[in-house]
Amino acid sequence: MVMKMNKSEFLKKFSEVSNYDMDTCKKINEVIEDNSFIGKKNKEKLVGDLMEKLNFSKEEAEKIYETALDIIGKEIKEKIKHPFKDKDKK
């Protein structure tokens, strides 16, 4: 069954994949929510914000961006492939 990914599920998945503690993941999520993933300039801004606000290196900030994009992309892809699957079983 495919469920909609809410914020807490995203944080849990991000924490598992990135090995950051939940507090750090919440701070990262705040930066992500303040930015958009679409476009090169937005990626640069998001990476810059992660570096500035959370003191990450450029490499680590880009890794965080790619990890978050991967998690969100997989959920979107699954939702497109199976748009009504989460409504089938209640």
Side-chain angles (χ1 to χ4, degrees):
M1 181 165 102
V2 176
M3 300 287 291
K4 292 182 189 175
M5 181 175 274
N6 63 26
K7 184 190 271 187
S8 62
E9 290 169 343
F10 171 78
L11 291 172
K12 182 180 175 187
K13 179 75 171 177
F14 190 82
S15 179
E16 290 171 5
V17 173
S18 67
N19 294 322
Y20 287 118
D21 61 61
M22 195 57 74
D23 289 334
T24 303
C25 289
K26 287 178 183 177
K27 292 175 185 175
I28 291 169
N29 188 59
E30 289 174 13
V31 174
I32 290 171
E33 287 180 344
D34 290 342
N35 293 282
S36 174
F37 277 108
I38 301 171
K40 185 176 180 177
K41 287 185 180 183
N42 290 332
K43 176 185 177 182
E44 292 170 0
K45 183 176 181 328
L46 194 143
V47 168
D49 284 355
L50 287 169
M51 291 168 54
E52 178 184 325
K53 294 178 180 177
L54 300 173
N55 276 341
F56 287 117
S57 68
K58 183 171 181 157
E59 295 78 24
E60 189 64 24
E62 287 182 355
K63 182 179 174 187
I64 290 168
Y65 171 85
E66 295 297 331
T67 301
L69 187 62
D70 186 50
I71 292 169
I72 292 169
K74 284 180 182 175
E75 289 300 314
I76 291 171
K77 181 179 170 185
E78 191 65 28
K79 187 65 177 174
I80 290 171
K81 286 172 55 178
H82 307 286
F84 302 110
K85 196 168 190 176
D86 61 336
K87 296 179 182 176
D88 290 343
K89 296 180 182 182
K90 285 191 177 189

